[in-house]
Amino acid sequence: MRKSLIILSACALFFTTSCSSDYLDLKPNSSTSTETIFETTENVKLAVNGLSKMMTQQYLGSQGFNGEGTIRTWYGNFPGNDYQKSNMTGWKVITNSQYLQMASSIYDYYPWYYYYKIIGNANTIICRVDNATGTEQEKAFLKAQALTFRAYAYSQLVQLYSKRWKDSSNGSSRGVVLRLDESKTEMPTSTLGECYAQIYQDLDEAIELYGKSGLDRGKDEKYLPNLNATYAVYAKAALNREDWATAAKYAPLARKGYSLISNSEYVDGGFNTDNNEWIWNVYSTEEETLYYYQYFAYEASNSSASASRSYPVAISKELFDQIPETDVRRSMFLDPKTDPYTASNGAAGKALSARAKSEYGSKLFSSTKIFAYMSFKQLAKAQPGVGEFAIFRAAEMYLIEAEADCHLNKEAEAQKLLVELNAGSGRNPEYTCTKTGSELLDEVRLYYRIEMFGEGRDWFNYKRWGLPIVRHSAAKGGSFHATFAVTINPEDNNGWTWSIPNKEIDYNTEISSPEE
């Protein structure tokens, strides 16, 4: 990953931030021309590496905008059903999904800006790599990687800025702007169906190119996509599109060669360092840290950052109570048992604080405030927020395939997948599944929530499921601070659709309103 710093020093091509349409600004700011950068496949490799680097950078002059981590935290975790930043009431607007229709807000703009930065730079690689000096195998592999980045970015954009598939009239509702080359011309939005067709086309081409290349990434280069990562993007995009057969096809291909981690790995740092379960990850080292801007500075129970010390992550009591006693995942959270805590906000009393420090001391910063049901799943490797995290891992592919199988009436297959994930991995050796019909689908959804807690899937899953987010305070059997104890119905906020940002509309007159 250190190579990414070479492209940064050679040319500001990949990281300009000067104007409202800057995600389209591909003009170098140094004496090194774009043509020179793309002269050879060795240089193109640096450009692809730069796409990975973009996933772990600070943007828009804000501490919290840290690349892919921000999408997980602010857009997937904070507004979800099962996740709480304990006592962090100052963030209630984003936690309660009140920014979605505020087209002038930076929170509405950030994902659009971030993913179009990736798309714009991926487009340059896709358009220019064929003319680079190097082997045909290298060019095919690099183009496949760039296509995977582009497909992933578009799949994220449509989840945020478009309606859920089931509300789209079979894809005829508004999608996003499909920019597929280096031009900066004004363009209207495509339909959601057209966007998914392009995502599929990019992934199909990438798969073909990976096959032609015969190449793979290095064993220590999981921050770069490969064929398995492309399959994972395909499986997740198909799931969002409710294309069950395609999701069921690609999920097992994505996890092929990747094993589920052991219980000890799960409990002791399986979520900040590359392991055999990770298919594609975001890179991080102490040498390239974002300090207090970084993902784990917001998420880790052992971080020295105030965002984690004062407002630790906690799981919903109602989800925690559904995790079996025999399941190792239950041990990732502070069970208050009979120890008292303040019901209104979850703050621990002396006995619960003492037990937390005794049982989880190595996973706590010395001055971290203790709350009931707080999470110890996310841990920083180094202070205040160093750590890698997975974009996709094998466990999610089991869940994607199982969910798709439920819709394909392949109940025995879905049951088997749940048993493999839960009992076969050792997470819960006593797990069995005989449920059928809607109860089986509910079971898959429950274990999606348990397995992927805190990994940025919460809000996104509830959106595509079309289920209401229902958070209860302690007075009503839950554990949420009263500020967050709200119900958000599937039809609210234009079906949970973020508005197209004003910054795009101001630049692009082909789009006349945020809701078009």
Side-chain angles (χ1 to χ4, degrees):
M1 196 63 177
R2 295 291 294 176
K3 289 182 179 180
S4 62
L5 298 181
I6 298 174
I7 195 73
L8 280 168
S9 62
C11 171
L13 169 68
F14 283 81
F15 303 101
T16 54
T17 57
S18 58
C19 63
S20 63
S21 61
D22 52 37
Y23 55 85
L24 302 176
D25 188 354
L26 302 176
K27 183 179 179 181
N29 287 345
S30 76
S31 59
T32 307
S33 69
T34 305
E35 288 73 18
T36 299
I37 288 176
F38 289 93
E39 275 184 345
T40 68
T41 52
E42 284 302 309
N43 285 351
V44 177
K45 287 178 186 178
L46 301 183
V48 172
N49 210 49
L51 295 177
S52 291
K53 182 63 179 175
M54 291 176 76
M55 288 184 156
T56 179
Q57 283 220 280
Q58 183 197 6
Y59 293 102
L60 301 177
S62 172
Q63 176 171 323
F65 293 138
N66 57 31
E68 195 68 16
T70 298
I71 303 298
R72 290 179 61 142
T73 301
W74 292 7
Y75 300 85
N77 289 338
F78 282 13
N81 188 79
D82 302 320
Y83 174 105
Q84 180 175 199
K85 281 289 276 181
S86 301
N87 222 31
M88 199 173 72
T89 56
W91 288 77
K92 68 178 181 179
V93 179
I94 196 163
T95 299
N96 293 344
S97 289
Q98 295 173 342
Y99 275 125
L100 275 70
Q101 302 303 293
M102 298 174 64
S104 61
S105 167
I106 194 172
Y107 302 105
D108 181 60
Y109 176 50
Y110 172 72
W112 189 276
Y113 164 87
Y114 165 62
Y115 283 120
Y116 276 109
K117 290 285 283 186
I118 291 176
I119 289 165
N121 290 288
N123 285 344
T124 301
I125 295 169
I126 293 164
C127 291
R128 293 175 181 265
V129 65
D130 287 344
N131 295 323
T133 300
T135 69
E136 293 303 312
Q137 290 79 8
E138 289 174 322
K139 288 187 276 189
F141 185 72
L142 293 166
K143 181 181 279 190
Q145 289 182 309
L147 286 163
T148 302
F149 272 108
R150 185 168 77 180
Y152 175 72
Y154 273 124
S155 71
Q156 292 289 91
L157 283 169
V158 295
Q159 287 182 83
L160 290 158
Y161 294 97
S162 301
K163 291 184 177 180
R164 58 182 70 88
W165 185 261
K166 64 179 61 187
D167 297 336
S168 73
S169 299
N170 198 35
S172 63
S173 64
R174 176 183 61 72
V176 296
V177 180
L178 283 178
R179 294 191 176 277
L180 305 174
D181 55 33
E182 295 183 89
S183 70
K184 296 193 285 184
T185 58
E186 298 176 39
M187 295 177 63
T189 57
S190 297
T191 67
L192 184 58
E194 289 168 339
C195 290
Y196 274 111
Q198 184 62 50
I199 291 166
Y200 279 23
Q201 182 176 324
D202 280 357
L203 295 170
D204 287 335
E205 184 178 357
I207 291 167
E208 181 181 1
L209 289 169
Y210 281 125
K212 287 181 177 179
S213 76
L215 302 176
D216 199 354
R217 65 192 175 192
K219 65 177 183 179
D220 297 323
E221 293 181 333
K222 282 190 184 176
Y223 52 84
L224 296 169
N226 69 346
L227 180 59
N228 292 85
T230 302
Y231 288 147
V233 176
Y234 218 143
K236 189 64 185 296
L239 190 73
N240 294 330
R241 191 193 171 282
E242 299 188 353
D243 180 359
W244 312 121
T246 300
K249 173 184 176 180
Y250 285 109
L253 292 174
R255 70 172 183 266
K256 185 177 181 180
Y258 296 84
S259 58
L260 296 171
I261 56 176
S262 67
N263 284 358
S264 60
E265 289 176 298
Y266 201 104
V267 173
D268 296 321
F271 300 94
N272 66 16
T273 305
D274 173 35
N275 57 57
N276 291 333
E277 189 173 312
W278 288 13
I279 298 170
W280 186 16
N281 69 265
V282 171
Y283 188 82
S284 175
T285 66
E286 291 184 68
E287 290 75 22
E288 296 185 49
T289 180
L290 294 180
Y291 301 99
Y292 295 98
Y293 303 174
Q294 202 150 346
Y295 169 72
F296 283 97
Y298 291 87
E299 296 286 324
S301 60
N302 66 337
S303 173
S304 62
S306 61
S308 288
R309 287 187 293 106
S310 299
Y311 312 107
V313 173
I315 191 172
S316 160
K317 174 184 183 298
E318 291 166 279
L319 179 56
F320 176 82
D321 286 345
Q322 294 181 78
I323 305 175
E325 295 278 356
T326 53
D327 195 314
V328 71
R329 289 166 291 203
R330 190 179 174 95
S331 68
M332 306 291 284
F333 310 101
L334 180 59
D335 184 354
K337 299 180 180 178
T338 59
D339 292 329
Y341 60 92
T342 304
S344 62
N345 65 1
K350 289 184 178 180
L352 183 55
S353 292
R355 181 158 62 81
K357 292 175 182 178
S358 173
E359 296 179 7
Y360 297 98
S362 63
K363 298 180 179 181
L364 280 166
F365 193 74
S366 58
S367 58
T368 297
K369 295 179 181 178
I370 308 300
F371 288 80
Y373 304 105
M374 67 184 294
S375 171
F376 301 98
K377 182 175 179 178
Q378 308 286 3
L379 302 173
K381 290 173 64 176
Q383 297 296 351
V386 177
E388 299 171 298
F389 60 89
I391 299 172
F392 292 111
R393 55 190 182 91
E396 187 173 16
M397 298 301 115
Y398 281 89
L399 293 159
I400 289 173
E401 186 181 0
E403 185 173 338
D405 282 346
C406 286
H407 292 282
L408 295 169
N409 297 315
K410 297 169 66 175
E411 294 183 338
E413 290 86 344
Q415 292 167 350
K416 181 180 178 182
L417 287 161
L418 286 175
V419 172
E420 288 178 3
L421 172 64
N422 294 307
S425 67
R427 286 158 168 67
N428 181 4
E430 297 184 14
Y431 180 84
T432 59
C433 183
T434 58
K435 295 180 178 180
T436 59
S438 61
E439 290 186 350
L440 177 59
L441 180 58
D442 288 343
E443 182 82 347
V444 173
R445 289 171 173 172
L446 172 63
Y447 276 91
Y448 214 136
R449 293 162 62 196
I450 293 170
E451 177 67 29
M452 301 302 294
F453 174 82
E455 296 184 59
R457 300 298 192 253
D458 196 340
W459 180 86
F460 289 100
N461 277 342
Y462 269 79
K463 177 177 178 175
R464 68 179 179 80
W465 289 335
L467 296 177
I469 284 173
V470 182
R471 308 194 201 111
H472 290 128
S473 65
K476 295 186 177 181
S479 58
F480 281 95
H481 191 288
T483 302
F484 309 133
V486 299
T487 295
I488 306 171
N489 292 304
E491 64 272 17
D492 294 346
N493 294 313
N494 193 27
W496 302 13
T497 306
W498 285 83
S499 296
I500 294 179
N502 284 344
K503 283 182 176 288
E504 170 69 24
I505 295 169
D506 292 343
Y507 164 76
N508 185 357
T509 60
E510 290 291 320
I511 304 173
S512 59
S513 75
E515 305 307 325
E516 183 178 311

